[in-house]
Amino acid sequence: MPNDKADLLQGTLDLLILKSLQLEPMHGFGISIRIRQMSAEMLTVEQGSLYPALYRLEDHGWIKAEWGVSENNRKAKFYSLTTSGKKQLQAEEQNWVNLSLAINRVLGNA
Amino acid sequence: MNFFRRLRALFRRTRSESEMADEMRLHVELQAELNRRAGMDGEEARFAALRQFGNVAEFQQRVRENRGWAWRERLSSDWRHAWRTLAKSPLQSAVIVLSLGIGVGVNAVIFSWIRALTFRPLPHVVDASSIRLVEPRTDTGSHPGASWQEYRDLQPRVPSFRDLVAFRMVPLNLGENGRDERVHAQFVSGNYFSALGLEPAAGRLLRPDETSRAGGAAVAVISHDFWQNRYGGSPEAVGRTLRLNDQIVTIVGVAPEGFLGTVVGLGFDLWVPATMAPVLLPGSTELEARDVRGFSLMGLLAPGASESRARTEVDAAMGQLASMYPASNASIKADVLAFWRAPRGAPKFILGGLAALQGFMLLVLFMVCANAASLMLARATARRREIGVRLALGARPRQILRLFLTESVLLGLLASALGVLLAVWGANGLRAVPLPGAFPFKFQTDLDGTGLLVTVSLGAACGLIFGLAPAWQSARTDSQLALRTAGQAPGRNRVRGALVAVEVALALLVLMTAAVFLRSFQESRSADTGFAPKGVVLAAYDLSGRGYDKARGLALMDEVVRRLASAPGIEGAAIASWVPLDFHAMPVAGFNVDGQARSDGGLERALTYSVTPGYFGVMGIPLTAGHDFAALSDTATRPQAIVNEEFVRRFLDGKLPLGRRVVGRTTFEIVGVVRNSLYESFGESPKPIVYFSYRDRFSQSGQIHVRTRAADSAAAPDLRRIMHEINPAITLYDVRTLAEHVDKNLFFRRIPARMFAVLGPLVLVLAAIGIYAVVAHAVAQRTIEIGVRRALGATDRTVVWGMVRESMRGVLMGAIPAWLVAAIVALHVGGSGAATPGVLLGVPALLLGVALLASWWPARRAAQVDPLIALRAE
């Protein structure tokens, strides 16, 4: 991974995926693009992490998958947030804010 | 597209896997699309997309592991691998499965017996676990049964029982006078069937109101067997009448199939309201008299009620009764017992034997396991190269362990399957075993879910047990060493030595205990019973319901005895209330000997018997002092008693008792002393007994004893003829010789004795096979070493004895501790006579001899190997 891109902090991938699904249902590829765009090309989600994470979130019941048609007219699996997924997103966002605040304090930036 | 096909093929296993493939393929396509838009041409864009995506297989694996699929996949591949390995050596696998299957099956059958006796003693009774027996207990700890009045009093006083039922066994005469037969019935309380929740097979069952009035409700419920045998299962049987003890009783219904009554091990033909007692048994006072005991009480715990609360309530109720009716209840308390601990009937009698048998069969099963382990060990050694390769390629020891354990557990499960088949067949087979006796022994046996579960777990556990040693050894294999010296385990093998030791220890334990058992059985067969059974013929009679009071009954029996005694071929005749060595416990009476009062004011206790004069002559029991009873027709002489030597020793300090008096409810004068004999069972310690005269203690039913001059059976027609001449209304039943009767007592000892007789040689063979296999395997491994030693000048003898010595070290390591344990058991449990030198020394010697032979045989073969061939084998 190039050095100018930030490493994904352990455990933040779930948050990113949930956040990217906040507006509309998306397929896996779309999620990876969305995360890249939202982070202004700073964060790239590896496929090897993305799909296991998607299945894990689905098993938790935070996202659900439905088969639909993609923009190139192919069968695609669209993920969307469930109600408990929305709650989880809120919780993780809050968690992240607290964490980054704490880290910033440690670094003397606050 | 080739790549995607492969991708899909990989994922075709499950639907979700193929969906995963679709999804990832879409990802790659969309990425390629993006690449094209960025200016790459078609192929290049696709390959770039694939590159960007990364290692597809790895991601899939990661997904699978995330979702917990991995272990399932590993497991199924383990199973398939195990199956293939086992199929490669079918003979060995078959031997293990067969021997283990038999072991597991036998254990399952015994387990299902024990379970049936303890947990499901009553078929069709849904909540058998809520059943508790309420057994009145005397201060000496015996259980005399409850009186009917006591039952009536207890019913409202124990609210923890939703129902309390009473029953007692009663033999009845069925049919016309002179052509009647014996049936076994239970007098029951009216709520008997409703409390147990039984449904009739035909008609109806008894109603609670049918025992509300003494003498009431001349009705009966018949058993399903009785219905089938006598009425061919016809519905018209309901409403028919039966002549029972000369009274007409109407059949109102049929009990459900398989319901045999409420005494485990016995099956009954009829159930009659207990209030019919005074009608069917004229003169019976059992409905009113508080001291006439004999009913069993069975309570069914109400929902939510606990046994301890029931016990508290029963204790309180018995305390009330003791103060209300001190004459009958002063010293009576009551026990609340689980159903299988019933003091009457078979369970207590049989459970102990079955439990012992189960223990032995488990030991035998462990021996089979040890044998299987040595076979698996041999196979594991043969696979050292394979294991070495696996380890070299990065397999972890844990994975090797799993590989081996999967194989042995698979073997164990296959054996369980066989065991289940055997158990189902065996449980059915056991039901067909005819059981002898005046009592209709019957058992419920079948394999239920729990039995099945136990069988399967037992097989799997066996697999784990015998797989552990080879698996552990293989997992610790040094891959370098294994690859260089394939087929050769370096050095002495500790696992092998331990296997031999375990096997020998188990074998010795089983053999010595079996020997102790056989010895004590033989001893009881040849034991001095204290009477002379040869030439004595017994016949039971029952005057109840025939209108005989004491005077008329005595006159009748006096005539019977005199007529029989004067018949040709008959030396003497007598009547006794009991026969020694019966299935039943004998009655015990409390009394004081005058001038010998106990300091605590309590009563002495001894067995009692009532017999006619001449009884001791017929039985061959010598009179050592005093004289026989007065004649039956003598009305002048005071009540008499004859006691045995143990009675004199225990209660009279060995002083001559003639003229002393035994004081119970009546006072009896001791007129004679007889030699001790056996009364209740073989191997019992001498028991004190008081014989009363039949003249003083007449009984409506009893046993005629006749000593014949000729062969035993010749007397039977005479007996029946003479009885018929005197009174055709009285039938004799259960005509048999005393020798046959005594043999019956041995029945429950003979079954295990026979099993041990079969088990002994089997165990020896198992031990021999096990030792042989281990030594043969060790020898095969050391072919090169033997070759070298022989080439260096070792003789056959030194090679052979070297091998044998090593094997015998393992044998002794197992034998010595096992011998110590077995010797202690033999001395303490087997009784004095059982621990003979034959048992203590002969059995181990035999086993050691077999072990020696089993080690020598393969060792000798090894010594005959040509050293050149052996060395070239490397």
Side-chain angles (χ1 to χ4, degrees):
Chain A
M1 194 167 285
N3 285 339
D4 59 336
K5 291 190 177 176
D7 277 334
L8 263 183
L9 199 63
Q10 188 81 40
T12 52
L13 180 59
D14 289 3
L15 171 62
L16 294 178
I17 293 174
L18 292 174
K19 185 76 188 170
S20 66
L21 289 173
Q22 203 176 18
L23 294 177
E24 52 177 347
M26 266 187 296
H27 48 66
F29 182 72
I31 292 171
S32 72
I33 298 290
R34 170 67 61 89
I35 289 176
R36 209 158 62 200
Q37 287 170 346
M38 287 196 307
S39 67
E41 307 283 321
M42 287 282 282
L43 295 174
T44 305
V45 182
E46 265 190 286
Q47 276 59 263
S49 314
L50 175 66
Y51 285 97
L54 283 174
Y55 285 109
R56 192 175 61 242
L57 294 179
E58 192 183 350
D59 284 345
H60 278 301
W62 293 332
I63 60 176
K64 61 176 192 285
E66 268 164 295
W67 287 97
V69 180
S70 72
E71 53 272 32
N72 63 346
N73 267 333
R74 300 295 300 259
K75 202 172 80 151
K77 210 168 166 189
F78 283 88
Y79 295 93
S80 57
L81 279 185
T82 62
T83 318
S84 73
K86 284 175 187 151
K87 273 189 212 136
Q88 179 67 19
L89 174 60
Q90 274 181 3
E92 291 209 9
E93 272 186 279
Q94 187 56 47
N95 206 6
W96 176 255
V97 169
N98 292 344
L99 182 70
S100 60
L101 212 64
I103 290 176
N104 278 330
R105 280 200 184 121
V106 171
L107 297 177
N109 299 342
Chain B
M1 281 295 119
N2 189 23
F3 166 79
F4 287 121
R5 225 180 300 131
R6 242 187 301 144
L7 194 78
R8 287 199 67 153
L10 202 71
F11 279 147
R12 193 155 290 157
R13 247 166 279 160
T14 65
R15 219 189 122 228
S16 62
E17 290 237 327
S18 80
E19 285 180 2
M20 192 160 83
D22 279 345
E23 191 174 19
M24 291 189 183
R25 187 183 52 199
L26 179 77
H27 189 115
V28 174
E29 279 174 19
L30 289 171
Q31 182 70 52
E33 184 70 30
L34 213 63
N35 291 348
R36 259 194 297 280
R37 261 184 247 155
M40 295 183 197
D41 67 28
E43 275 302 286
E44 195 189 341
R46 209 167 67 79
F47 282 124
L50 277 173
R51 251 192 332 273
Q52 280 161 323
F53 193 87
N55 185 341
V56 179
E58 197 200 318
F59 299 164
Q60 287 151 1
Q61 189 59 30
R62 238 188 271 175
V63 169
R64 266 180 247 133
E65 267 171 20
N66 258 344
R67 308 201 103 188
W69 295 339
W71 68 269
R72 245 181 286 166
E73 195 176 302
R74 275 205 304 260
L75 197 69
S76 80
S77 90
D78 276 354
W79 285 121
R80 267 177 284 131
H81 189 272
W83 177 255
R84 276 203 305 272
T85 318
L86 294 182
K88 256 187 246 165
S89 45
L91 186 70
Q92 193 190 15
S93 305
V95 167
I96 292 179
V97 168
L98 201 68
S99 57
L100 212 57
I102 293 171
V104 168
V106 170
N107 274 292
V109 170
I110 300 173
F111 178 79
S112 74
W113 262 54
I114 293 179
R115 221 181 107 70
L117 279 173
T118 47
F119 294 109
R120 292 179 301 116
L122 303 173
H124 298 292
V125 176
V126 184
D127 51 349
S129 57
S130 75
I131 295 179
R132 295 292 179 279
L133 292 171
V134 180
E135 284 287 345
R137 172 171 44 83
T138 65
D139 49 1
T140 53
S142 68
H143 294 112
S147 65
W148 182 254
Q149 287 299 326
E150 222 162 48
Y151 163 63
R152 281 296 170 85
D153 291 338
L154 278 176
Q155 234 178 342
R157 286 182 167 83
V158 189
S160 286
F161 290 133
R162 66 172 164 81
D163 284 293
L164 186 67
V165 301
F167 54 90
R168 85 171 181 94
M169 132 163 96
V170 55
L172 295 172
N173 295 318
L174 170 71
E176 303 294 328
N177 281 353
R179 285 187 288 111
D180 52 10
E181 61 188 295
R182 206 68 168 153
V183 291
H184 297 272
Q186 277 188 311
F187 277 156
V188 299
S189 56
N191 60 351
Y192 181 83
F193 289 102
S194 57
L196 292 176
L198 297 173
E199 295 292 330
R204 65 168 176 89
L205 299 174
L206 297 180
R207 287 192 312 254
D209 61 284
E210 279 169 323
T211 47
S212 55
R213 184 177 59 82
V219 295
V221 169
I222 59 176
S223 77
H224 195 272
D225 280 358
F226 191 85
W227 185 45
Q228 292 296 329
N229 296 340
R230 222 165 261 260
Y231 301 102
S234 155
E236 283 162 28
V238 176
R240 295 262 192 101
T241 57
L242 294 169
R243 183 179 283 271
L244 287 174
N245 280 14
D246 266 358
Q247 301 295 319
I248 300 297
V249 170
T250 308
I251 298 174
V252 293
V254 180
E257 185 172 5
F259 180 75
L260 304 173
T262 37
V263 180
V264 170
L266 302 187
F268 294 93
D269 305 310
L270 310 164
W271 292 270
V272 181
T275 40
M276 284 293 284
V279 179
L280 293 173
L281 308 174
S284 160
T285 56
E286 64 190 89
L287 293 186
E288 302 91 42
R290 288 188 171 273
D291 55 352
V292 178
R293 300 178 172 278
F295 280 96
S296 298
L297 305 186
M298 193 165 85
L300 290 102
L301 289 174
S306 70
E307 181 177 327
S308 62
R309 211 174 80 205
R311 189 166 286 138
T312 315
E313 289 166 4
V314 167
D315 285 347
M318 291 308 286
Q320 283 178 15
L321 292 183
S323 55
M324 286 160 74
Y325 311 102
S328 60
N329 278 54
S331 62
I332 305 278
K333 294 187 171 56
D335 289 330
V336 176
L337 304 172
F339 187 69
W340 58 271
R341 293 176 61 197
R344 277 170 286 277
K348 236 169 79 173
F349 206 31
I350 294 167
L351 268 177
L354 278 179
L357 200 59
Q358 178 97 77
F360 281 116
M361 293 319 282
L362 279 176
L363 284 182
V364 172
L365 185 63
F366 285 139
M367 281 191 66
V368 174
C369 278
N371 274 351
S374 60
L375 284 174
M376 296 291 281
L377 201 63
R379 177 146 67 183
T381 317
R383 284 169 63 187
R384 268 170 62 83
R385 192 187 287 275
E386 176 205 326
I387 302 304
V389 170
R390 281 173 186 275
L391 286 169
L393 288 178
R396 274 166 293 171
R398 207 157 47 94
Q399 288 170 317
I400 301 291
L401 199 70
R402 209 179 53 219
L403 194 72
F404 274 83
L405 285 184
T406 312
E407 270 172 45
S408 50
V409 169
L410 181 62
L411 277 177
L413 289 178
L414 286 174
S416 319
L418 181 68
V420 167
L421 287 180
L422 280 173
V424 168
W425 173 81
N428 286 327
L430 277 177
R431 219 176 305 168
V433 172
L435 291 154
F439 294 92
F441 289 110
K442 277 174 192 162
F443 292 103
Q444 294 297 319
T445 55
D446 58 82
L447 200 67
D448 63 349
T450 314
L452 216 63
L453 191 72
V454 166
T455 314
V456 173
S457 332
L458 198 61
C462 283
L464 269 183
I465 291 170
F466 73 68
L468 218 51
W472 188 66
Q473 185 184 318
S474 299
R476 292 190 334 145
T477 305
D478 177 339
S479 70
Q480 292 293 318
L481 214 57
L483 288 173
R484 260 185 278 128
T485 62
Q488 308 272 332
R492 187 175 296 136
N493 192 320
R494 228 177 290 156
V495 176
R496 253 180 351 232
L499 265 181
V500 169
V502 166
E503 183 131 3
V504 169
L506 291 174
L508 194 61
L509 272 180
V510 173
L511 284 175
M512 281 183 70
T513 324
V516 166
F517 208 91
L518 281 174
R519 276 296 310 161
S520 75
F521 173 68
Q522 275 176 354
E523 212 169 65
S524 55
R525 295 212 80 175
S526 58
D528 182 14
T529 53
F531 53 85
K534 217 163 176 274
V536 177
V537 177
L538 306 172
Y541 71 89
D542 187 357
L543 302 180
S544 49
R546 299 289 191 245
Y548 283 96
D549 59 7
K550 180 179 172 180
R552 290 189 54 215
L554 264 183
L556 174 78
M557 295 326 283
D558 190 25
E559 189 187 351
V560 169
V561 170
R562 274 190 292 108
R563 288 276 296 270
L564 281 173
S566 61
I570 291 179
E571 263 176 28
I575 291 169
S577 53
W578 300 88
V579 183
L581 299 175
D582 208 342
F583 176 64
H584 268 302
M586 285 168 53
V588 172
F591 56 88
N592 282 120
V593 179
D594 65 339
Q596 211 70 28
R598 262 168 49 159
S599 52
D600 63 354
L603 297 175
E604 310 284 9
R605 278 174 197 274
L607 300 173
T608 64
Y609 235 73
S610 48
V611 302
T612 59
Y615 171 79
F616 300 108
V618 168
M619 289 293 282
I621 300 173
L623 209 64
T624 55
H627 57 82
D628 204 349
F629 289 123
L632 290 185
S633 51
D634 183 342
T635 51
T637 317
R638 278 181 306 177
Q640 296 174 320
I642 291 178
V643 298
N644 69 349
E645 290 171 336
E646 177 64 17
F647 185 99
V648 174
R649 191 188 67 78
R650 200 178 295 187
F651 302 129
L652 294 160
D653 304 325
K655 282 176 270 182
L656 196 65
L658 299 183
R660 304 286 289 272
R661 283 197 295 271
V662 175
V663 185
R665 259 184 297 161
T666 324
T667 300
F668 299 88
E669 185 186 337
I670 298 174
V671 297
V673 179
V674 292
R675 184 81 45 81
N676 295 336
S677 59
L678 294 182
Y679 306 107
E680 290 186 311
S681 64
F682 283 99
E684 69 183 14
S685 50
K687 290 183 174 175
I689 187 169
V690 188
Y691 293 97
F692 297 116
S693 174
Y694 190 76
R695 180 187 64 118
D696 307 320
R697 298 202 22 180
F698 170 71
S699 85
Q700 293 271 348
S701 62
Q703 305 274 347
I704 298 173
H705 293 51
V706 164
R707 177 161 288 279
T708 58
R709 279 184 241 276
D712 290 342
S713 53
D718 276 351
L719 267 170
R720 289 191 197 278
R721 182 178 50 77
I722 293 168
M723 195 69 207
H724 192 76
E725 283 169 17
I726 298 169
N727 184 345
I730 311 290
T731 341
L732 294 179
Y733 53 92
D734 250 2
V735 179
R736 75 262 190 223
T737 66
L738 183 56
E740 283 166 1
H741 172 85
V742 169
D743 245 24
K744 227 174 272 168
N745 181 284
L746 286 171
F747 178 74
F748 284 101
R749 285 163 161 256
R750 194 176 308 129
I751 297 177
R754 269 191 201 153
M755 290 196 102
F756 282 130
V758 177
L759 222 59
L762 183 79
V763 165
L764 261 185
V765 169
L766 276 178
I769 292 175
I771 295 167
Y772 179 92
V774 167
V775 175
H777 170 231
V779 167
Q781 293 222 320
R782 293 168 59 183
T783 314
I784 298 169
E785 180 204 322
I786 293 169
V788 172
R789 283 170 60 184
R790 296 247 301 150
L792 292 177
T795 60
D796 283 10
R797 198 192 247 291
T798 50
V799 169
V800 170
W801 285 115
M803 308 286 302
V804 169
R805 211 170 27 242
E806 195 183 309
S807 150
M808 290 308 281
R809 193 178 299 138
V811 168
L812 287 177
M813 238 159 56
I816 291 168
W819 185 82
L820 285 175
V821 172
I824 290 168
V825 170
L827 287 172
H828 280 255
V829 181
S832 53
T836 57
V839 172
L840 288 181
L841 303 174
V843 173
L846 180 69
L847 182 65
L848 289 184
V850 168
L852 203 63
L853 207 66
S855 330
W856 173 77
W857 189 260
R860 195 185 60 112
R861 260 198 348 212
Q864 286 165 349
V865 172
D866 185 338
L868 276 177
I869 295 175
L871 287 172
R872 235 180 265 142
E874 175 69 321

PDB file of all heavy atoms in Angstrom, chain B residues 35 145 154 160 166 170 204 221 290 317 328 430 479 562 602 625 689 729 825:
ATOM      1  N   ASN B  35     -11.497   0.350 -15.322  1.00  0.00           N
ATOM      2  CA  ASN B  35     -10.174   0.386 -15.923  1.00  0.00           C
ATOM      3  C   ASN B  35     -10.250   0.774 -17.402  1.00  0.00           C
ATOM      4  O   ASN B  35      -9.421   1.505 -17.920  1.00  0.00           O
ATOM      5  CB  ASN B  35      -9.481  -0.978 -15.792  1.00  0.00           C
ATOM      6  CG  ASN B  35      -9.117  -1.266 -14.332  1.00  0.00           C
ATOM      7  OD1 ASN B  35      -9.185  -0.359 -13.498  1.00  0.00           O
ATOM      8  ND2 ASN B  35      -8.766  -2.494 -14.042  1.00  0.00           N
ATOM      9  N   GLY B 145     -45.167 -54.349  55.757  1.00  0.00           N
ATOM     10  CA  GLY B 145     -46.313 -53.958  54.945  1.00  0.00           C
ATOM     11  C   GLY B 145     -47.274 -53.122  55.786  1.00  0.00           C
ATOM     12  O   GLY B 145     -47.097 -52.970  57.000  1.00  0.00           O
ATOM     13  N   LEU B 154     -53.752 -42.929  56.233  1.00  0.00           N
ATOM     14  CA  LEU B 154     -52.659 -42.169  55.621  1.00  0.00           C
ATOM     15  C   LEU B 154     -53.158 -41.314  54.454  1.00  0.00           C
ATOM     16  O   LEU B 154     -52.667 -40.219  54.211  1.00  0.00           O
ATOM     17  CB  LEU B 154     -51.562 -43.102  55.126  1.00  0.00           C
ATOM     18  CG  LEU B 154     -50.560 -43.586  56.180  1.00  0.00           C
ATOM     19  CD1 LEU B 154     -49.596 -44.582  55.566  1.00  0.00           C
ATOM     20  CD2 LEU B 154     -49.795 -42.402  56.744  1.00  0.00           C
ATOM     21  N   SER B 160     -49.003 -34.366  49.931  1.00  0.00           N
ATOM     22  CA  SER B 160     -47.981 -34.316  48.878  1.00  0.00           C
ATOM     23  C   SER B 160     -48.215 -35.379  47.813  1.00  0.00           C
ATOM     24  O   SER B 160     -47.696 -35.278  46.708  1.00  0.00           O
ATOM     25  CB  SER B 160     -46.601 -34.524  49.472  1.00  0.00           C
ATOM     26  OG  SER B 160     -46.209 -33.376  50.158  1.00  0.00           O
ATOM     27  N   ALA B 166     -53.103 -48.755  47.348  1.00  0.00           N
ATOM     28  CA  ALA B 166     -52.679 -49.914  48.127  1.00  0.00           C
ATOM     29  C   ALA B 166     -52.875 -51.155  47.284  1.00  0.00           C
ATOM     30  O   ALA B 166     -53.805 -51.238  46.475  1.00  0.00           O
ATOM     31  CB  ALA B 166     -53.500 -50.013  49.406  1.00  0.00           C
ATOM     32  N   VAL B 170     -52.166 -61.798  46.057  1.00  0.00           N
ATOM     33  CA  VAL B 170     -52.954 -62.867  46.672  1.00  0.00           C
ATOM     34  C   VAL B 170     -53.164 -63.993  45.652  1.00  0.00           C
ATOM     35  O   VAL B 170     -53.620 -63.754  44.541  1.00  0.00           O
ATOM     36  CB  VAL B 170     -54.304 -62.324  47.208  1.00  0.00           C
ATOM     37  CG1 VAL B 170     -55.090 -61.620  46.125  1.00  0.00           C
ATOM     38  CG2 VAL B 170     -55.136 -63.442  47.827  1.00  0.00           C
ATOM     39  N   ARG B 204     -63.821 -51.618  31.210  1.00  0.00           N
ATOM     40  CA  ARG B 204     -63.374 -50.487  32.037  1.00  0.00           C
ATOM     41  C   ARG B 204     -62.457 -51.015  33.132  1.00  0.00           C
ATOM     42  O   ARG B 204     -62.354 -52.223  33.353  1.00  0.00           O
ATOM     43  CB  ARG B 204     -64.580 -49.786  32.653  1.00  0.00           C
ATOM     44  CG  ARG B 204     -65.338 -50.675  33.647  1.00  0.00           C
ATOM     45  CD  ARG B 204     -66.340 -49.869  34.454  1.00  0.00           C
ATOM     46  NE  ARG B 204     -67.128 -50.737  35.333  1.00  0.00           N
ATOM     47  CZ  ARG B 204     -66.745 -51.053  36.564  1.00  0.00           C
ATOM     48  NH1 ARG B 204     -65.607 -50.615  37.027  1.00  0.00           N
ATOM     49  NH2 ARG B 204     -67.500 -51.830  37.316  1.00  0.00           N
ATOM     50  N   VAL B 221     -60.582 -56.993  37.125  1.00  0.00           N
ATOM     51  CA  VAL B 221     -59.960 -56.599  35.865  1.00  0.00           C
ATOM     52  C   VAL B 221     -58.945 -57.680  35.546  1.00  0.00           C
ATOM     53  O   VAL B 221     -58.191 -58.104  36.427  1.00  0.00           O
ATOM     54  CB  VAL B 221     -59.268 -55.221  36.004  1.00  0.00           C
ATOM     55  CG1 VAL B 221     -58.394 -54.934  34.790  1.00  0.00           C
ATOM     56  CG2 VAL B 221     -60.318 -54.136  36.178  1.00  0.00           C
ATOM     57  N   ARG B 290     -55.700 -53.782  62.612  1.00  0.00           N
ATOM     58  CA  ARG B 290     -54.569 -52.909  62.337  1.00  0.00           C
ATOM     59  C   ARG B 290     -53.240 -53.649  62.383  1.00  0.00           C
ATOM     60  O   ARG B 290     -52.224 -53.133  61.942  1.00  0.00           O
ATOM     61  CB  ARG B 290     -54.538 -51.754  63.335  1.00  0.00           C
ATOM     62  CG  ARG B 290     -55.647 -50.769  63.072  1.00  0.00           C
ATOM     63  CD  ARG B 290     -55.533 -49.538  63.915  1.00  0.00           C
ATOM     64  NE  ARG B 290     -56.519 -48.562  63.448  1.00  0.00           N
ATOM     65  CZ  ARG B 290     -56.275 -47.702  62.481  1.00  0.00           C
ATOM     66  NH1 ARG B 290     -55.092 -47.666  61.911  1.00  0.00           N
ATOM     67  NH2 ARG B 290     -57.210 -46.872  62.079  1.00  0.00           N
ATOM     68  N   ALA B 317     -47.814 -38.325  60.123  1.00  0.00           N
ATOM     69  CA  ALA B 317     -49.008 -39.171  60.132  1.00  0.00           C
ATOM     70  C   ALA B 317     -48.751 -40.445  60.930  1.00  0.00           C
ATOM     71  O   ALA B 317     -49.586 -40.872  61.736  1.00  0.00           O
ATOM     72  CB  ALA B 317     -49.422 -39.508  58.702  1.00  0.00           C
ATOM     73  N   SER B 328     -51.023 -51.468  67.939  1.00  0.00           N
ATOM     74  CA  SER B 328     -50.516 -51.960  66.660  1.00  0.00           C
ATOM     75  C   SER B 328     -49.410 -51.087  66.090  1.00  0.00           C
ATOM     76  O   SER B 328     -48.599 -51.543  65.293  1.00  0.00           O
ATOM     77  CB  SER B 328     -51.667 -52.038  65.649  1.00  0.00           C
ATOM     78  OG  SER B 328     -52.210 -50.742  65.471  1.00  0.00           O
ATOM     79  N   LEU B 430     -33.937 -61.686  25.326  1.00  0.00           N
ATOM     80  CA  LEU B 430     -34.021 -61.873  26.768  1.00  0.00           C
ATOM     81  C   LEU B 430     -35.460 -62.008  27.221  1.00  0.00           C
ATOM     82  O   LEU B 430     -35.759 -62.720  28.156  1.00  0.00           O
ATOM     83  CB  LEU B 430     -33.377 -60.689  27.479  1.00  0.00           C
ATOM     84  CG  LEU B 430     -31.871 -60.769  27.626  1.00  0.00           C
ATOM     85  CD1 LEU B 430     -31.354 -59.505  28.277  1.00  0.00           C
ATOM     86  CD2 LEU B 430     -31.504 -61.975  28.475  1.00  0.00           C
ATOM     87  N   SER B 479       9.695 -35.993  12.517  1.00  0.00           N
ATOM     88  CA  SER B 479       9.514 -36.246  11.083  1.00  0.00           C
ATOM     89  C   SER B 479      10.824 -36.672  10.412  1.00  0.00           C
ATOM     90  O   SER B 479      10.830 -37.545   9.556  1.00  0.00           O
ATOM     91  CB  SER B 479       8.943 -35.000  10.404  1.00  0.00           C
ATOM     92  OG  SER B 479       9.917 -33.987  10.372  1.00  0.00           O
ATOM     93  N   ARG B 562     -52.177 -88.447  58.096  1.00  0.00           N
ATOM     94  CA  ARG B 562     -52.211 -89.873  58.479  1.00  0.00           C
ATOM     95  C   ARG B 562     -52.382 -90.772  57.265  1.00  0.00           C
ATOM     96  O   ARG B 562     -51.697 -91.777  57.135  1.00  0.00           O
ATOM     97  CB  ARG B 562     -53.329 -90.114  59.499  1.00  0.00           C
ATOM     98  CG  ARG B 562     -52.857 -89.832  60.940  1.00  0.00           C
ATOM     99  CD  ARG B 562     -53.874 -90.285  61.980  1.00  0.00           C
ATOM    100  NE  ARG B 562     -55.094 -89.481  61.942  1.00  0.00           N
ATOM    101  CZ  ARG B 562     -56.259 -89.936  61.469  1.00  0.00           C
ATOM    102  NH1 ARG B 562     -56.365 -91.180  61.029  1.00  0.00           N
ATOM    103  NH2 ARG B 562     -57.327 -89.153  61.468  1.00  0.00           N
ATOM    104  N   GLY B 602     -37.174 -54.388  75.003  1.00  0.00           N
ATOM    105  CA  GLY B 602     -37.590 -54.716  73.633  1.00  0.00           C
ATOM    106  C   GLY B 602     -37.824 -56.210  73.464  1.00  0.00           C
ATOM    107  O   GLY B 602     -37.754 -56.990  74.411  1.00  0.00           O
ATOM    108  N   ALA B 625     -32.368 -82.443  71.237  1.00  0.00           N
ATOM    109  CA  ALA B 625     -32.800 -82.521  72.638  1.00  0.00           C
ATOM    110  C   ALA B 625     -34.313 -82.491  72.663  1.00  0.00           C
ATOM    111  O   ALA B 625     -34.950 -81.980  71.735  1.00  0.00           O
ATOM    112  CB  ALA B 625     -32.231 -81.353  73.445  1.00  0.00           C
ATOM    113  N   ILE B 689     -34.486 -69.617  65.008  1.00  0.00           N
ATOM    114  CA  ILE B 689     -35.832 -69.865  64.503  1.00  0.00           C
ATOM    115  C   ILE B 689     -36.663 -70.508  65.604  1.00  0.00           C
ATOM    116  O   ILE B 689     -36.118 -71.217  66.454  1.00  0.00           O
ATOM    117  CB  ILE B 689     -35.780 -70.774  63.243  1.00  0.00           C
ATOM    118  CG1 ILE B 689     -37.170 -70.889  62.597  1.00  0.00           C
ATOM    119  CG2 ILE B 689     -35.242 -72.161  63.588  1.00  0.00           C
ATOM    120  CD1 ILE B 689     -37.151 -71.536  61.233  1.00  0.00           C
ATOM    121  N   ALA B 729     -62.897 -81.424  46.859  1.00  0.00           N
ATOM    122  CA  ALA B 729     -62.933 -79.968  46.671  1.00  0.00           C
ATOM    123  C   ALA B 729     -61.558 -79.327  46.821  1.00  0.00           C
ATOM    124  O   ALA B 729     -61.345 -78.195  46.417  1.00  0.00           O
ATOM    125  CB  ALA B 729     -63.903 -79.335  47.669  1.00  0.00           C
ATOM    126  N   VAL B 825     -10.473 -58.223  47.310  1.00  0.00           N
ATOM    127  CA  VAL B 825     -11.896 -58.398  47.022  1.00  0.00           C
ATOM    128  C   VAL B 825     -12.321 -59.827  47.347  1.00  0.00           C
ATOM    129  O   VAL B 825     -13.342 -60.062  47.993  1.00  0.00           O
ATOM    130  CB  VAL B 825     -12.191 -58.071  45.537  1.00  0.00           C
ATOM    131  CG1 VAL B 825     -13.612 -58.485  45.172  1.00  0.00           C
ATOM    132  CG2 VAL B 825     -11.987 -56.590  45.283  1.00  0.00           C
TER     133      VAL B 825
END
